[in-house]
Amino acid sequence: MTKPNPRIKLPESAKAGEIIEVKTLITHIMETGNRHDKHGRLISRNIINAFVALFGDVEVFRAEFGPGVSANPYVAFQLRVPGPGAFDFAWTDDQGVTTTAREILNVVT
């Protein structure tokens, strides 16, 4: 099984009050639950079903995904920069495994 590998892209710097775009992508096995193993047993579904982004301790974006989600889900959202701080991202799959990542936003004055 491949370990989920999140990637995050933030602007190199931003000013307080500026609107920025946050881009995330995570590689994941994204098993649909429709395939069988070599013994004919159904392989259980295991997809990313939730994504949460925090800035500081404040939730700034949340998404829930269903069976139609693409492989390696890409999520982009815009945010008005409240000030200096860090993003915490979390992706949760059907097996309850949560993958986290942290990125600091460089805020200039």
Side-chain angles (χ1 to χ4, degrees), residues 34-104:
N34 295 324
R35 295 185 323 126
H36 295 81
D37 66 12
K38 64 182 177 183
H39 303 291
R41 295 179 298 232
L42 192 62
I43 300 172
S44 61
R45 187 180 96 166
N46 186 14
I47 63 171
I48 297 286
N49 60 40
F51 170 77
V52 177
L54 304 176
F55 187 80
D57 292 332
V58 178
E59 182 177 305
V60 294
F61 188 84
R62 171 179 290 272
E64 294 182 10
F65 306 116
V69 67
S70 68
N72 306 324
Y74 169 79
V75 176
F77 60 95
Q78 294 183 334
L79 169 82
R80 183 176 304 275
V81 176
F87 285 97
D88 290 297
F89 302 96
W91 296 261
T92 304
D93 69 18
D94 286 337
Q95 294 183 349
V97 176
T98 299
T99 302
T100 61
R102 182 178 180 87
E103 286 287 328
I104 295 173

Coordinates of all heavy atoms in Angstrom, one line a residue, residues 34-104:
N34 N -15.1 -1.7 -6.0 CA -15.7 -2.4 -7.1 C -14.8 -3.5 -7.6 O -15.2 -4.3 -8.4 CB -16.0 -1.5 -8.2 CG -17.1 -0.5 -7.8 OD1 -18.0 -0.8 -7.0 ND2 -17.0 0.7 -8.3
R35 N -13.5 -3.6 -7.1 CA -12.6 -4.6 -7.7 C -12.5 -5.8 -6.8 O -12.8 -5.7 -5.6 CB -11.2 -3.9 -7.8 CG -11.1 -2.8 -8.8 CD -9.7 -2.3 -9.1 NE -8.9 -2.2 -7.9 CZ -7.7 -2.7 -7.8 NH1 -7.2 -3.3 -8.9 NH2 -7.0 -2.6 -6.7
H36 N -12.0 -6.9 -7.3 CA -11.8 -8.1 -6.6 C -10.3 -8.4 -6.5 O -9.5 -8.1 -7.5 CB -12.5 -9.3 -7.2 CG -14.0 -9.1 -7.2 ND1 -14.7 -8.3 -8.1 CD2 -14.9 -9.6 -6.3 CE1 -16.0 -8.3 -7.8 NE2 -16.2 -9.1 -6.7
D37 N -9.8 -9.1 -5.5 CA -8.4 -9.5 -5.4 C -8.2 -10.8 -6.2 O -9.2 -11.3 -6.8 CB -8.0 -9.6 -4.0 CG -8.7 -10.8 -3.2 OD1 -9.3 -11.6 -3.8 OD2 -8.5 -10.8 -2.0
K38 N -7.0 -11.3 -6.2 CA -6.7 -12.5 -7.0 C -7.5 -13.8 -6.6 O -7.6 -14.8 -7.3 CB -5.2 -12.8 -7.1 CG -4.6 -13.1 -5.7 CD -3.1 -13.3 -5.9 CE -2.5 -13.6 -4.5 NZ -1.1 -13.7 -4.6
H39 N -8.1 -13.7 -5.3 CA -8.9 -14.9 -4.8 C -10.4 -14.6 -5.0 O -11.2 -15.4 -4.6 CB -8.6 -15.0 -3.3 CG -7.1 -15.3 -3.0 ND1 -6.4 -16.4 -3.4 CD2 -6.2 -14.5 -2.4 CE1 -5.2 -16.3 -3.0 NE2 -5.0 -15.1 -2.4
G40 N -10.7 -13.6 -5.7 CA -12.1 -13.3 -6.0 C -12.9 -12.5 -4.9 O -14.1 -12.3 -5.0
R41 N -12.2 -12.2 -3.8 CA -12.8 -11.4 -2.8 C -12.9 -9.9 -3.1 O -11.9 -9.4 -3.7 CB -12.1 -11.6 -1.5 CG -12.1 -13.0 -1.0 CD -11.3 -13.1 0.3 NE -9.9 -12.8 0.1 CZ -8.9 -13.5 0.4 NH1 -9.0 -14.7 1.0 NH2 -7.6 -13.1 0.1
L42 N -14.0 -9.3 -2.7 CA -14.2 -7.9 -3.0 C -13.2 -7.1 -2.1 O -13.0 -7.3 -0.9 CB -15.6 -7.5 -2.7 CG -16.1 -6.1 -3.1 CD1 -16.0 -6.0 -4.6 CD2 -17.5 -5.8 -2.6
I43 N -12.5 -6.2 -2.8 CA -11.6 -5.3 -2.0 C -12.4 -4.1 -1.5 O -13.1 -3.5 -2.3 CB -10.5 -4.7 -3.0 CG1 -9.7 -5.9 -3.5 CG2 -9.6 -3.8 -2.2 CD1 -8.7 -5.5 -4.6
S44 N -12.4 -3.9 -0.2 CA -13.2 -2.9 0.4 C -12.8 -1.5 -0.1 O -11.7 -1.2 -0.4 CB -13.2 -2.9 1.9 OG -11.9 -2.7 2.4
R45 N -13.8 -0.6 -0.1 CA -13.6 0.8 -0.5 C -12.7 1.5 0.4 O -12.8 1.4 1.6 CB -15.0 1.5 -0.6 CG -14.9 2.9 -1.3 CD -16.2 3.6 -1.3 NE -16.3 4.4 -0.2 CZ -17.2 5.4 0.0 NH1 -18.1 5.6 -1.0 NH2 -17.3 6.1 1.1
N46 N -11.8 2.3 -0.1 CA -10.9 3.1 0.7 C -10.6 4.4 -0.1 O -9.6 4.4 -0.8 CB -9.7 2.4 1.2 CG -8.8 3.2 2.1 OD1 -9.3 4.2 2.7 ND2 -7.6 2.8 2.3
I47 N -11.4 5.4 0.1 CA -11.2 6.7 -0.6 C -11.0 7.8 0.5 O -11.4 7.6 1.6 CB -12.3 7.0 -1.5 CG1 -13.6 7.2 -0.8 CG2 -12.5 6.0 -2.6 CD1 -14.8 7.8 -1.6
I48 N -10.4 8.9 0.0 CA -10.4 10.1 0.9 C -11.9 10.6 1.0 O -12.5 10.8 -0.1 CB -9.5 11.2 0.3 CG1 -8.1 10.7 0.2 CG2 -9.7 12.5 1.1 CD1 -7.3 10.6 1.5
N49 N -12.4 10.7 2.2 CA -13.8 11.1 2.3 C -14.0 12.5 3.0 O -15.1 13.0 3.0 CB -14.7 10.1 3.0 CG -14.2 9.8 4.4 OD1 -13.8 10.6 5.1 ND2 -14.2 8.5 4.7
A50 N -12.9 13.0 3.5 CA -13.0 14.3 4.2 C -11.7 15.1 4.1 O -10.6 14.5 4.1 CB -13.4 14.2 5.6
F51 N -11.8 16.4 4.0 CA -10.7 17.3 4.0 C -11.0 18.5 4.8 O -12.1 19.1 4.7 CB -10.4 17.7 2.5 CG -9.4 18.8 2.4 CD1 -8.0 18.6 2.6 CD2 -9.8 20.1 2.2 CE1 -7.1 19.6 2.5 CE2 -8.8 21.2 2.1 CZ -7.5 20.9 2.2
V52 N -10.1 18.9 5.7 CA -10.3 20.1 6.5 C -9.0 20.9 6.5 O -7.9 20.4 6.6 CB -10.6 19.6 8.0 CG1 -10.7 20.9 8.9 CG2 -11.8 18.8 8.1
A53 N -9.2 22.2 6.4 CA -8.0 23.1 6.5 C -8.3 24.1 7.6 O -9.4 24.7 7.7 CB -7.9 23.9 5.1
L54 N -7.3 24.3 8.4 CA -7.3 25.2 9.5 C -6.3 26.3 9.3 O -5.2 26.0 8.7 CB -7.0 24.6 10.9 CG -7.9 23.4 11.3 CD1 -7.4 22.8 12.6 CD2 -9.3 23.8 11.5
F55 N -6.6 27.5 9.6 CA -5.5 28.6 9.7 C -5.5 29.1 11.1 O -6.4 29.6 11.6 CB -5.9 29.7 8.7 CG -4.8 30.7 8.6 CD1 -3.7 30.5 7.8 CD2 -4.8 31.9 9.3 CE1 -2.6 31.4 7.7 CE2 -3.7 32.8 9.2 CZ -2.7 32.6 8.4
G56 N -4.3 28.8 11.7 CA -4.3 29.0 13.2 C -5.2 27.9 13.8 O -5.0 26.7 13.4
D57 N -6.1 28.3 14.6 CA -7.0 27.3 15.2 C -8.4 27.4 14.6 O -9.3 26.8 15.0 CB -7.1 27.5 16.7 CG -5.8 27.1 17.4 OD1 -5.1 26.2 16.9 OD2 -5.6 27.6 18.5
V58 N -8.5 28.2 13.5 CA -9.8 28.4 12.9 C -10.0 27.6 11.6 O -9.1 27.6 10.7 CB -10.0 29.9 12.5 CG1 -11.3 30.2 11.9 CG2 -9.8 30.8 13.8
E59 N -11.1 26.9 11.5 CA -11.4 26.1 10.3 C -11.8 27.1 9.2 O -12.7 27.9 9.3 CB -12.6 25.2 10.6 CG -12.9 24.3 9.4 CD -14.0 23.3 9.7 OE1 -13.9 22.6 10.6 OE2 -15.0 23.4 8.9
V60 N -11.0 27.0 8.1 CA -11.3 27.9 7.0 C -11.8 27.2 5.7 O -12.4 27.9 4.8 CB -10.0 28.7 6.6 CG1 -9.5 29.6 7.7 CG2 -8.9 27.7 6.2
F61 N -11.8 25.9 5.7 CA -12.3 25.2 4.6 C -12.6 23.7 5.0 O -11.8 23.1 5.7 CB -11.4 25.2 3.4 CG -11.9 24.6 2.1 CD1 -12.7 25.4 1.3 CD2 -11.7 23.3 1.8 CE1 -13.3 24.9 0.1 CE2 -12.3 22.8 0.6 CZ -13.1 23.6 -0.2
R62 N -13.7 23.2 4.5 CA -14.0 21.8 4.8 C -14.7 21.2 3.5 O -15.5 21.9 2.9 CB -15.0 21.6 6.0 CG -15.5 20.2 6.2 CD -16.4 20.2 7.4 NE -15.7 20.3 8.7 CZ -15.1 19.3 9.3 NH1 -15.3 18.1 8.9 NH2 -14.5 19.5 10.4
A63 N -14.4 19.9 3.2 CA -15.1 19.3 2.1 C -15.3 17.8 2.5 O -14.5 17.2 3.2 CB -14.2 19.3 0.9
E64 N -16.4 17.3 2.0 CA -16.7 15.8 2.2 C -16.8 15.3 0.8 O -17.5 15.9 -0.1 CB -17.9 15.6 3.0 CG -17.8 16.1 4.5 CD -19.0 15.9 5.3 OE1 -19.9 15.2 4.9 OE2 -19.0 16.4 6.4
F65 N -16.2 14.1 0.6 CA -16.2 13.5 -0.8 C -17.0 12.2 -0.7 O -17.0 11.5 0.3 CB -14.8 13.2 -1.2 CG -13.9 14.4 -1.2 CD1 -12.8 14.5 -0.3 CD2 -14.2 15.5 -2.0 CE1 -12.0 15.6 -0.3 CE2 -13.3 16.6 -1.9 CZ -12.2 16.7 -1.1
G66 N -17.6 11.9 -1.9 CA -18.3 10.6 -2.0 C -17.6 9.7 -3.0 O -16.5 10.0 -3.4
P67 N -18.3 8.7 -3.5 CA -17.7 7.7 -4.4 C -17.3 8.2 -5.7 O -16.5 7.6 -6.4 CB -18.7 6.6 -4.5 CG -20.0 7.2 -4.1 CD -19.7 8.3 -3.1
G68 N -17.8 9.4 -6.1 CA -17.4 10.0 -7.4 C -16.1 10.8 -7.4 O -15.8 11.4 -8.4
V69 N -15.5 10.9 -6.2 CA -14.3 11.7 -6.1 C -13.2 11.1 -7.0 O -13.1 9.9 -7.2 CB -13.8 11.8 -4.7 CG1 -13.3 10.4 -4.1 CG2 -12.7 12.8 -4.5
S70 N -12.4 11.9 -7.6 CA -11.3 11.5 -8.5 C -10.2 10.9 -7.7 O -10.0 11.1 -6.5 CB -10.8 12.6 -9.3 OG -10.1 13.6 -8.5
A71 N -9.3 10.1 -8.4 CA -8.1 9.6 -7.7 C -7.2 10.8 -7.4 O -7.2 11.8 -8.1 CB -7.4 8.7 -8.7
N72 N -6.5 10.7 -6.3 CA -5.6 11.8 -5.9 C -6.3 13.1 -5.9 O -6.0 14.0 -6.7 CB -4.4 11.8 -6.8 CG -3.7 10.5 -6.9 OD1 -3.7 9.7 -5.9 ND2 -3.2 10.1 -8.0
P73 N -7.3 13.3 -5.0 CA -8.1 14.5 -5.0 C -7.3 15.8 -4.9 O -6.4 15.9 -4.1 CB -9.0 14.4 -3.9 CG -8.7 13.2 -3.2 CD -7.6 12.4 -3.9
Y74 N -7.6 16.8 -5.8 CA -7.0 18.1 -5.8 C -8.1 19.1 -5.3 O -9.2 19.1 -5.7 CB -6.7 18.5 -7.3 CG -6.3 19.9 -7.5 CD1 -5.1 20.4 -7.1 CD2 -7.2 20.8 -8.0 CE1 -4.7 21.7 -7.4 CE2 -6.9 22.1 -8.3 CZ -5.7 22.6 -7.9 OH -5.3 23.9 -8.1
V75 N -7.7 19.9 -4.3 CA -8.6 20.9 -3.7 C -7.9 22.2 -3.8 O -6.8 22.3 -3.4 CB -9.0 20.5 -2.3 CG1 -9.8 21.6 -1.6 CG2 -9.7 19.1 -2.2
A76 N -8.7 23.2 -4.2 CA -8.2 24.6 -4.2 C -9.3 25.5 -3.6 O -10.4 25.2 -3.9 CB -7.8 25.0 -5.6
F77 N -8.8 26.4 -2.8 CA -9.8 27.4 -2.3 C -9.1 28.7 -2.1 O -7.9 28.8 -2.0 CB -10.4 26.9 -1.0 CG -9.4 26.6 0.1 CD1 -9.2 27.6 1.1 CD2 -8.8 25.4 0.2 CE1 -8.3 27.3 2.1 CE2 -7.9 25.2 1.2 CZ -7.6 26.1 2.2
Q78 N -9.9 29.7 -2.0 CA -9.4 31.1 -1.8 C -9.6 31.5 -0.3 O -10.6 31.1 0.3 CB -10.0 32.1 -2.7 CG -9.6 31.7 -4.2 CD -10.2 32.8 -5.1 OE1 -11.2 33.4 -4.9 NE2 -9.5 32.9 -6.3
L79 N -8.8 32.4 0.2 CA -8.8 32.8 1.5 C -8.3 34.2 1.7 O -7.3 34.5 1.0 CB -8.0 31.8 2.4 CG -7.7 32.2 3.8 CD1 -8.9 31.9 4.7 CD2 -6.5 31.6 4.4
R80 N -9.0 35.0 2.5 CA -8.4 36.4 2.8 C -7.5 36.2 4.0 O -7.9 35.7 5.0 CB -9.5 37.3 3.1 CG -9.0 38.8 3.4 CD -10.1 39.8 3.7 NE -11.1 39.8 2.6 CZ -11.1 40.5 1.5 NH1 -10.0 41.3 1.3 NH2 -12.0 40.5 0.6
V81 N -6.2 36.6 3.8 CA -5.2 36.3 4.8 C -5.5 37.2 6.0 O -5.5 38.4 5.9 CB -3.8 36.7 4.3 CG1 -2.8 36.5 5.3 CG2 -3.5 35.8 3.0
P82 N -5.8 36.6 7.2 CA -6.0 37.3 8.4 C -4.8 37.9 9.0 O -4.9 38.8 9.8 CB -6.7 36.3 9.3 CG -6.2 35.0 8.9 CD -5.9 35.1 7.4
G83 N -3.6 37.4 8.8 CA -2.4 37.8 9.4 C -1.4 36.6 9.4 O -1.6 35.6 8.7
P84 N -0.3 36.8 10.1 CA 0.7 35.7 10.1 C 0.1 34.4 10.7 O -0.8 34.5 11.6 CB 1.8 36.2 11.0 CG 1.5 37.7 11.2 CD 0.1 37.9 10.9
G85 N 0.6 33.3 10.2 CA 0.1 32.1 10.8 C 0.4 30.9 9.9 O 1.2 31.0 9.0
A86 N -0.1 29.7 10.3 CA 0.2 28.5 9.6 C -1.1 27.7 9.3 O -2.1 27.9 10.0 CB 1.1 27.6 10.5
F87 N -1.0 27.0 8.2 CA -2.2 26.2 7.8 C -1.9 24.7 8.4 O -0.8 24.3 8.3 CB -2.2 26.1 6.3 CG -2.8 27.3 5.6 CD1 -2.0 28.3 5.1 CD2 -4.2 27.4 5.5 CE1 -2.5 29.4 4.5 CE2 -4.7 28.6 4.9 CZ -3.9 29.5 4.4
D88 N -3.0 24.1 8.8 CA -2.9 22.7 9.1 C -4.0 22.0 8.2 O -5.1 22.5 8.2 CB -3.2 22.5 10.6 CG -2.1 22.9 11.5 OD1 -1.0 22.4 11.4 OD2 -2.3 23.9 12.3
F89 N -3.6 21.0 7.5 CA -4.5 20.3 6.6 C -4.6 18.9 7.1 O -3.7 18.3 7.6 CB -3.9 20.3 5.2 CG -3.6 21.7 4.6 CD1 -2.3 22.2 4.7 CD2 -4.6 22.4 4.0 CE1 -2.1 23.5 4.2 CE2 -4.3 23.7 3.5 CZ -3.1 24.2 3.6
A90 N -5.8 18.3 6.9 CA -6.1 16.9 7.3 C -7.0 16.3 6.2 O -8.0 16.8 5.9 CB -6.7 16.9 8.6
W91 N -6.6 15.1 5.8 CA -7.3 14.3 4.8 C -7.7 13.0 5.6 O -6.8 12.3 6.1 CB -6.5 13.9 3.6 CG -6.2 15.1 2.7 CD1 -6.8 15.5 1.6 CD2 -5.0 15.9 2.9 NE1 -6.1 16.5 1.0 CE2 -5.0 16.9 1.8 CE3 -4.0 16.1 3.8 CZ2 -4.1 17.8 1.7 CZ3 -3.1 17.0 3.7 CH2 -3.1 17.9 2.6
T92 N -8.9 12.5 5.6 CA -9.3 11.3 6.3 C -9.9 10.3 5.3 O -10.7 10.7 4.4 CB -10.3 11.6 7.4 OG1 -9.8 12.6 8.2 CG2 -10.7 10.4 8.1
D93 N -9.5 9.1 5.3 CA -10.0 8.1 4.4 C -11.0 7.2 5.1 O -11.3 7.3 6.3 CB -8.9 7.3 3.7 CG -8.1 6.4 4.7 OD1 -8.6 6.0 5.8 OD2 -7.0 6.0 4.3
D94 N -11.6 6.2 4.3 CA -12.6 5.3 4.8 C -12.2 4.4 5.9 O -13.0 3.9 6.7 CB -13.2 4.5 3.6 CG -14.1 5.3 2.7 OD1 -14.6 6.3 3.1 OD2 -14.2 4.8 1.5
Q95 N -10.9 4.2 6.0 CA -10.4 3.3 7.1 C -10.1 4.1 8.4 O -9.6 3.6 9.3 CB -9.2 2.6 6.6 CG -9.5 1.6 5.5 CD -8.3 0.8 5.1 OE1 -7.2 1.0 5.5 NE2 -8.6 -0.3 4.3
G96 N -10.4 5.4 8.3 CA -10.2 6.3 9.5 C -8.8 6.8 9.6 O -8.5 7.4 10.7
V97 N -8.0 6.6 8.7 CA -6.6 7.1 8.7 C -6.6 8.5 8.3 O -7.2 8.9 7.2 CB -5.7 6.3 7.7 CG1 -4.3 6.9 7.7 CG2 -5.7 4.8 8.2
T98 N -6.0 9.4 9.1 CA -5.9 10.8 8.8 C -4.5 11.2 8.5 O -3.6 10.9 9.3 CB -6.4 11.6 10.0 OG1 -7.8 11.3 10.2 CG2 -6.3 13.1 9.7
T99 N -4.3 11.8 7.4 CA -3.0 12.3 6.9 C -3.0 13.8 7.1 O -3.9 14.5 6.7 CB -2.7 11.9 5.5 OG1 -2.8 10.5 5.3 CG2 -1.3 12.4 5.0
T100 N -1.9 14.3 7.8 CA -1.9 15.7 8.1 C -0.6 16.4 7.5 O 0.3 15.7 7.2 CB -1.9 16.0 9.6 OG1 -0.7 15.4 10.2 CG2 -3.1 15.4 10.3
A101 N -0.7 17.6 7.3 CA 0.4 18.4 6.8 C 0.3 19.8 7.4 O -0.8 20.3 7.7 CB 0.4 18.5 5.3
R102 N 1.4 20.5 7.5 CA 1.4 21.9 8.1 C 2.3 22.7 7.2 O 3.4 22.3 6.8 CB 2.0 21.8 9.5 CG 2.0 23.2 10.1 CD 2.5 23.0 11.6 NE 2.5 24.3 12.3 CZ 1.5 24.9 12.9 NH1 0.4 24.2 13.0 NH2 1.6 26.0 13.5
E103 N 1.8 23.9 6.8 CA 2.6 24.9 6.0 C 2.4 26.2 6.7 O 1.3 26.7 7.0 CB 2.0 24.9 4.6 CG 2.4 23.7 3.7 CD 3.8 23.7 3.3 OE1 4.5 24.8 3.2 OE2 4.3 22.6 3.2
I104 N 3.5 26.9 6.8 CA 3.5 28.3 7.3 C 3.4 29.3 6.2 O 4.1 29.1 5.1 CB 4.8 28.5 8.1 CG1 4.9 27.6 9.3 CG2 4.9 30.0 8.5 CD1 6.1 27.7 10.1

